[in-house]
Amino acid sequence: MNAPEHYSDALSRSELFAGISPKMLKDILGRGIHVQLKPGEKLFHEGEHADRCYLVIKGRLKLSKLHEQGKEIIIRYIDPGAIAAAIAVFKGKRYPVTATATGAVEIVGWDRDTMINLISSYGQLAVNLLQFTIDRIEELQNRFLELSAEQVERRIARALLRIMRQSGLKTGEGVEIEFKLSRQDLADYTGTTIYTVSRTLSSWGKKGWVKSGRQRIVITDPHALVGFSENN
Amino acid sequence: MNAPEHYSDALSRSELFAGISPKMLKDILGRGIHVQLKPGEKLFHEGEHADRCYLVIKGRLKLSKLHEQGKEIIIRYIDPGAIAAAIAVFKGKRYPVTATATGAVEIVGWDRDTMINLISSYGQLAVNLLQFTIDRIEELQNRFLELSAEQVERRIARALLRIMRQSGLKTGEGVEIEFKLSRQDLADYTGTTIYTVSRTLSSWGKKGWVKSGRQRIVITDPHALVGFSENN
DNA sequence: CGACGCATTGACAGGGCTCAATTTAAGTGG
DNA sequence: CCACTTAAATTGAGCCCTGTCAATGCGTCG
């Protein structure tokens, strides 16, 4: 298998493969399987046996957990270059979350044996994996604190800024979230309802902080939003 | 240094040292430093440089994060045999949380170099550490889901049950939480206020589910509490 | 015994959820 | 390219859960 051109872009951004030479990368990529996902398609379900981990090449995965009565909570989004289920795959455990494609998604997957093999071949991988895990725990702890200590509007502000930093695209109007992000998604991400999100974005729209339409959000005044999320 | 008698008890319960022979344990313990903490004393603060990780021998550590305006959130409690800051110490990062002694606490600490040394000497340690990390992430994700999807009363029920399973002591009356746990603690753990916790425990008291006093909680009917936390 | 910290309880208000009714926008097929 | 369908978003009204504030009770410890 020969890696297509656009792989290098995702890989160069990857936290997991930082500090690994192009030659090694080629080897690593060659050992994975290539998968394409349609919008909304699920890559794996919460509770399933974790037999593979995946690197996102193009598009975005949404990691979420489901609660009884259909309420969903979004744990995080996985951008190109980032990896999903890297930790779960090691222990042959079950996936603790569900992964869904937002838009068309391209990924590379490795099974458990291959991963263990790779780790022992490339020491840097283990270090990166540890770093990655630490970051995940910290991110979760931070969001946990926010969720319990802050009011909804501020949580939405922080969420939007976090997503903007991860997946923002500078345009003439401001910074646009470069994937489809509905009110429902934001609500699930911040632990609120679509109604509150809608009202909030509405009010920010009037202030000129954001422009938002159907599954599309542009932050026109990031500075103001940061101020709001921190001050007062 | 010769390990005191009661060390073996904590160690035998330890997730981290599972599958490691007594002889090796003696070596590992000998390389750590022994620390005693007074009630309320802080072992490390959020943001400080993470220069050591610790195994709890006796008593309990409380891991928490602070929000502006003094609001605190409890991430978890660390019982005898469990370890704190194990991951943070590796990357020479800062502690993401604050550790406080609840009651008198005895711990053993290892610095970064020693930990790295130990890991390379005892392969099982690395595996255990990974397992431990996975468990931490899952626990956080679960609580995150609860926090965003469930009402306060049910969150308190779940919290109490979780703490009971971890640190419960069967007595004639029922299962008693074996360390001082104030209304404030429960509130910080569940993301609510002492007033709501107090009202809730009061009402459960009338139903005969719990008996609670000053920093002391006994679950007299665990079954009923489980039912409440899951049903409806 | 007095003082301090923890816990309880009541009254009140408000943030945000629920529900229902529209409006808007994006497909889709003829 | 336009009607039609369908999903997403908006907006208003009402209310309930839970946070806030204040007063009081009670257990513990010096």
Side-chain angles (χ1 to χ4, degrees), chain B residues 183 195 198-199 202 214-215:
Chain B
R183 304 290 180 271
Y195 312 105
S198 182
R199 275 183 251 270
S202 242
R214 197 187 177 75
Q215 306 189 49

mmCIF file of all heavy atoms in Angstrom, chain B residues 183 195 198-199 202 214-215, chain C residues 5-11:
data_model
loop_
_atom_site.group_PDB
_atom_site.id
_atom_site.type_symbol
_atom_site.label_atom_id
_atom_site.label_comp_id
_atom_site.label_asym_id
_atom_site.label_seq_id
_atom_site.Cartn_x
_atom_site.Cartn_y
_atom_site.Cartn_z
ATOM 1 N N ARG B 183 -21.047 17.580 54.219
ATOM 2 C CA ARG B 183 -22.008 17.983 53.194
ATOM 3 C C ARG B 183 -21.284 18.771 52.098
ATOM 4 O O ARG B 183 -21.590 18.637 50.922
ATOM 5 C CB ARG B 183 -23.092 18.857 53.812
ATOM 6 C CG ARG B 183 -23.824 18.210 54.966
ATOM 7 C CD ARG B 183 -24.690 17.090 54.502
ATOM 8 N NE ARG B 183 -25.405 16.463 55.607
ATOM 9 C CZ ARG B 183 -24.945 15.461 56.318
ATOM 10 N NH1 ARG B 183 -23.772 14.927 56.041
ATOM 11 N NH2 ARG B 183 -25.643 14.938 57.302
ATOM 12 N N TYR B 195 -26.681 23.007 50.698
ATOM 13 C CA TYR B 195 -28.106 23.089 51.038
ATOM 14 C C TYR B 195 -28.895 21.963 50.377
ATOM 15 O O TYR B 195 -29.706 21.294 50.994
ATOM 16 C CB TYR B 195 -28.658 24.449 50.640
ATOM 17 C CG TYR B 195 -27.767 25.569 51.115
ATOM 18 C CD1 TYR B 195 -26.952 26.267 50.244
ATOM 19 C CD2 TYR B 195 -27.708 25.881 52.475
ATOM 20 C CE1 TYR B 195 -26.111 27.279 50.690
ATOM 21 C CE2 TYR B 195 -26.865 26.885 52.931
ATOM 22 C CZ TYR B 195 -26.077 27.577 52.038
ATOM 23 O OH TYR B 195 -25.239 28.547 52.504
ATOM 24 N N SER B 198 -27.912 18.650 51.935
ATOM 25 C CA SER B 198 -28.532 18.517 53.247
ATOM 26 C C SER B 198 -29.998 18.125 53.124
ATOM 27 O O SER B 198 -30.477 17.204 53.783
ATOM 28 C CB SER B 198 -28.393 19.829 54.007
ATOM 29 O OG SER B 198 -28.940 19.709 55.295
ATOM 30 N N ARG B 199 -30.711 18.832 52.279
ATOM 31 C CA ARG B 199 -32.127 18.521 52.073
ATOM 32 C C ARG B 199 -32.310 17.089 51.577
ATOM 33 O O ARG B 199 -33.188 16.351 52.038
ATOM 34 C CB ARG B 199 -32.717 19.491 51.044
ATOM 35 C CG ARG B 199 -33.181 20.793 51.649
ATOM 36 C CD ARG B 199 -33.831 21.672 50.586
ATOM 37 N NE ARG B 199 -33.006 22.818 50.261
ATOM 38 C CZ ARG B 199 -33.082 23.990 50.876
ATOM 39 N NH1 ARG B 199 -33.932 24.169 51.858
ATOM 40 N NH2 ARG B 199 -32.304 24.997 50.523
ATOM 41 N N SER B 202 -31.550 14.556 54.287
ATOM 42 C CA SER B 202 -32.679 14.653 55.212
ATOM 43 C C SER B 202 -33.840 13.789 54.743
ATOM 44 O O SER B 202 -34.389 12.979 55.490
ATOM 45 C CB SER B 202 -33.149 16.109 55.254
ATOM 46 O OG SER B 202 -33.007 16.642 56.517
ATOM 47 N N ARG B 214 -22.809 14.595 61.646
ATOM 48 C CA ARG B 214 -21.726 15.516 61.367
ATOM 49 C C ARG B 214 -20.566 14.782 60.683
ATOM 50 O O ARG B 214 -19.840 14.023 61.307
ATOM 51 C CB ARG B 214 -21.290 16.103 62.713
ATOM 52 C CG ARG B 214 -20.483 17.336 62.653
ATOM 53 C CD ARG B 214 -20.035 17.636 64.062
ATOM 54 N NE ARG B 214 -19.172 18.778 64.115
ATOM 55 C CZ ARG B 214 -19.589 20.035 64.002
ATOM 56 N NH1 ARG B 214 -20.868 20.291 63.835
ATOM 57 N NH2 ARG B 214 -18.728 21.026 64.059
ATOM 58 N N GLN B 215 -20.386 15.036 59.413
ATOM 59 C CA GLN B 215 -19.295 14.442 58.622
ATOM 60 C C GLN B 215 -19.305 12.920 58.660
ATOM 61 O O GLN B 215 -18.260 12.283 58.582
ATOM 62 C CB GLN B 215 -17.933 14.951 59.102
ATOM 63 C CG GLN B 215 -17.843 16.454 59.126
ATOM 64 C CD GLN B 215 -16.430 16.942 59.391
ATOM 65 O OE1 GLN B 215 -15.484 16.502 58.773
ATOM 66 N NE2 GLN B 215 -16.294 17.862 60.317
ATOM 67 P P DG C 5 -14.581 28.767 62.678
ATOM 68 O OP1 DG C 5 -13.263 29.046 62.087
ATOM 69 O OP2 DG C 5 -15.707 29.703 62.502
ATOM 70 O "O5'" DG C 5 -15.059 27.348 62.180
ATOM 71 C "C5'" DG C 5 -14.521 26.161 62.754
ATOM 72 C "C4'" DG C 5 -15.437 25.006 62.443
ATOM 73 O "O4'" DG C 5 -16.639 25.099 63.262
ATOM 74 C "C3'" DG C 5 -15.934 24.980 60.998
ATOM 75 O "O3'" DG C 5 -15.972 23.625 60.590
ATOM 76 C "C2'" DG C 5 -17.338 25.586 61.078
ATOM 77 C "C1'" DG C 5 -17.787 25.070 62.438
ATOM 78 N N9 DG C 5 -18.824 25.880 63.097
ATOM 79 C C8 DG C 5 -18.914 27.243 63.145
ATOM 80 N N7 DG C 5 -19.950 27.661 63.826
ATOM 81 C C5 DG C 5 -20.575 26.492 64.250
ATOM 82 C C6 DG C 5 -21.746 26.302 65.023
ATOM 83 O O6 DG C 5 -22.479 27.147 65.513
ATOM 84 N N1 DG C 5 -22.028 24.941 65.209
ATOM 85 C C2 DG C 5 -21.274 23.920 64.714
ATOM 86 N N2 DG C 5 -21.688 22.677 64.988
ATOM 87 N N3 DG C 5 -20.173 24.083 63.992
ATOM 88 C C4 DG C 5 -19.895 25.389 63.806
ATOM 89 P P DC C 6 -16.243 23.245 59.087
ATOM 90 O OP1 DC C 6 -15.200 22.285 58.714
ATOM 91 O OP2 DC C 6 -16.487 24.458 58.296
ATOM 92 O "O5'" DC C 6 -17.617 22.445 59.181
ATOM 93 C "C5'" DC C 6 -17.657 21.273 59.971
ATOM 94 C "C4'" DC C 6 -19.089 20.896 60.189
ATOM 95 O "O4'" DC C 6 -19.754 21.944 60.918
ATOM 96 C "C3'" DC C 6 -19.881 20.686 58.899
ATOM 97 O "O3'" DC C 6 -20.426 19.373 58.947
ATOM 98 C "C2'" DC C 6 -20.961 21.767 58.934
ATOM 99 C "C1'" DC C 6 -21.062 22.074 60.424
ATOM 100 N N1 DC C 6 -21.511 23.456 60.763
ATOM 101 C C2 DC C 6 -22.612 23.623 61.594
ATOM 102 O O2 DC C 6 -23.202 22.623 62.017
ATOM 103 N N3 DC C 6 -23.016 24.874 61.907
ATOM 104 C C4 DC C 6 -22.358 25.932 61.433
ATOM 105 N N4 DC C 6 -22.786 27.153 61.772
ATOM 106 C C5 DC C 6 -21.221 25.782 60.585
ATOM 107 C C6 DC C 6 -20.836 24.537 60.278
ATOM 108 P P DA C 7 -21.339 18.825 57.757
ATOM 109 O OP1 DA C 7 -21.250 17.352 57.779
ATOM 110 O OP2 DA C 7 -21.056 19.559 56.530
ATOM 111 O "O5'" DA C 7 -22.774 19.231 58.275
ATOM 112 C "C5'" DA C 7 -23.238 18.699 59.500
ATOM 113 C "C4'" DA C 7 -24.670 19.126 59.728
ATOM 114 O "O4'" DA C 7 -24.709 20.529 60.049
ATOM 115 C "C3'" DA C 7 -25.603 18.932 58.524
ATOM 116 O "O3'" DA C 7 -26.721 18.191 58.981
ATOM 117 C "C2'" DA C 7 -25.955 20.352 58.087
ATOM 118 C "C1'" DA C 7 -25.783 21.130 59.381
ATOM 119 N N9 DA C 7 -25.433 22.540 59.233
ATOM 120 C C8 DA C 7 -24.377 23.069 58.549
ATOM 121 N N7 DA C 7 -24.304 24.378 58.612
ATOM 122 C C5 DA C 7 -25.390 24.729 59.391
ATOM 123 C C6 DA C 7 -25.877 25.968 59.841
ATOM 124 N N6 DA C 7 -25.302 27.141 59.538
ATOM 125 N N1 DA C 7 -26.994 25.976 60.608
ATOM 126 C C2 DA C 7 -27.564 24.804 60.903
ATOM 127 N N3 DA C 7 -27.196 23.570 60.549
ATOM 128 C C4 DA C 7 -26.095 23.608 59.788
ATOM 129 P P DT C 8 -27.907 17.806 57.993
ATOM 130 O OP1 DT C 8 -28.424 16.497 58.433
ATOM 131 O OP2 DT C 8 -27.494 18.021 56.607
ATOM 132 O "O5'" DT C 8 -29.005 18.888 58.371
ATOM 133 C "C5'" DT C 8 -29.393 19.036 59.732
ATOM 134 C "C4'" DT C 8 -30.473 20.084 59.839
ATOM 135 O "O4'" DT C 8 -29.893 21.396 59.667
ATOM 136 C "C3'" DT C 8 -31.597 19.980 58.797
ATOM 137 O "O3'" DT C 8 -32.823 19.985 59.499
ATOM 138 C "C2'" DT C 8 -31.420 21.214 57.919
ATOM 139 C "C1'" DT C 8 -30.745 22.182 58.875
ATOM 140 N N1 DT C 8 -29.891 23.224 58.276
ATOM 141 C C2 DT C 8 -30.129 24.533 58.611
ATOM 142 O O2 DT C 8 -31.017 24.882 59.360
ATOM 143 N N3 DT C 8 -29.263 25.429 58.034
ATOM 144 C C4 DT C 8 -28.220 25.145 57.172
ATOM 145 O O4 DT C 8 -27.506 26.043 56.718
ATOM 146 C C5 DT C 8 -28.021 23.750 56.861
ATOM 147 C C7 DT C 8 -26.920 23.340 55.933
ATOM 148 C C6 DT C 8 -28.864 22.863 57.419
ATOM 149 P P DT C 9 -34.141 19.365 58.824
ATOM 150 O OP1 DT C 9 -34.762 18.483 59.827
ATOM 151 O OP2 DT C 9 -33.818 18.864 57.478
ATOM 152 O "O5'" DT C 9 -35.061 20.645 58.641
ATOM 153 C "C5'" DT C 9 -34.918 21.734 59.539
ATOM 154 C "C4'" DT C 9 -35.370 23.020 58.900
ATOM 155 O "O4'" DT C 9 -34.228 23.757 58.393
ATOM 156 C "C3'" DT C 9 -36.324 22.877 57.705
ATOM 157 O "O3'" DT C 9 -37.569 23.419 58.110
ATOM 158 C "C2'" DT C 9 -35.662 23.655 56.574
ATOM 159 C "C1'" DT C 9 -34.666 24.533 57.310
ATOM 160 N N1 DT C 9 -33.444 24.924 56.570
ATOM 161 C C2 DT C 9 -33.009 26.233 56.669
ATOM 162 O O2 DT C 9 -33.584 27.074 57.330
ATOM 163 N N3 DT C 9 -31.865 26.515 55.958
ATOM 164 C C4 DT C 9 -31.145 25.638 55.170
ATOM 165 O O4 DT C 9 -30.134 26.004 54.583
ATOM 166 C C5 DT C 9 -31.655 24.289 55.103
ATOM 167 C C7 DT C 9 -30.946 23.268 54.278
ATOM 168 C C6 DT C 9 -32.771 24.001 55.797
ATOM 169 P P DG C 10 -38.865 23.400 57.164
ATOM 170 O OP1 DG C 10 -40.033 23.117 58.018
ATOM 171 O OP2 DG C 10 -38.604 22.584 55.973
ATOM 172 O "O5'" DG C 10 -38.934 24.933 56.723
ATOM 173 C "C5'" DG C 10 -38.848 25.938 57.723
ATOM 174 C "C4'" DG C 10 -38.846 27.320 57.091
ATOM 175 O "O4'" DG C 10 -37.511 27.620 56.591
ATOM 176 C "C3'" DG C 10 -39.791 27.477 55.894
ATOM 177 O "O3'" DG C 10 -40.481 28.723 56.023
ATOM 178 C "C2'" DG C 10 -38.856 27.479 54.690
ATOM 179 C "C1'" DG C 10 -37.580 28.084 55.254
ATOM 180 N N9 DG C 10 -36.362 27.667 54.589
ATOM 181 C C8 DG C 10 -36.009 26.381 54.243
ATOM 182 N N7 DG C 10 -34.843 26.306 53.662
ATOM 183 C C5 DG C 10 -34.396 27.623 53.618
ATOM 184 C C6 DG C 10 -33.197 28.164 53.097
ATOM 185 O O6 DG C 10 -32.257 27.577 52.558
ATOM 186 N N1 DG C 10 -33.142 29.551 53.249
ATOM 187 C C2 DG C 10 -34.121 30.321 53.828
ATOM 188 N N2 DG C 10 -33.907 31.635 53.883
ATOM 189 N N3 DG C 10 -35.251 29.823 54.326
ATOM 190 C C4 DG C 10 -35.321 28.473 54.188
ATOM 191 P P DA C 11 -41.679 29.124 55.051
ATOM 192 O OP1 DA C 11 -42.759 29.659 55.905
ATOM 193 O OP2 DA C 11 -41.950 28.008 54.114
ATOM 194 O "O5'" DA C 11 -41.010 30.318 54.240
ATOM 195 C "C5'" DA C 11 -40.189 31.266 54.933
ATOM 196 C "C4'" DA C 11 -39.675 32.284 53.934
ATOM 197 O "O4'" DA C 11 -38.422 31.803 53.375
ATOM 198 C "C3'" DA C 11 -40.601 32.538 52.738
ATOM 199 O "O3'" DA C 11 -40.526 33.913 52.398
ATOM 200 C "C2'" DA C 11 -40.033 31.630 51.663
ATOM 201 C "C1'" DA C 11 -38.527 31.715 51.964
ATOM 202 N N9 DA C 11 -37.749 30.556 51.543
ATOM 203 C C8 DA C 11 -38.129 29.236 51.587
ATOM 204 N N7 DA C 11 -37.208 28.414 51.156
ATOM 205 C C5 DA C 11 -36.148 29.240 50.804
ATOM 206 C C6 DA C 11 -34.872 28.974 50.274
ATOM 207 N N6 DA C 11 -34.420 27.751 50.008
ATOM 208 N N1 DA C 11 -34.066 30.030 50.038
ATOM 209 C C2 DA C 11 -34.514 31.259 50.314
ATOM 210 N N3 DA C 11 -35.695 31.631 50.817
ATOM 211 C C4 DA C 11 -36.477 30.556 51.039
#
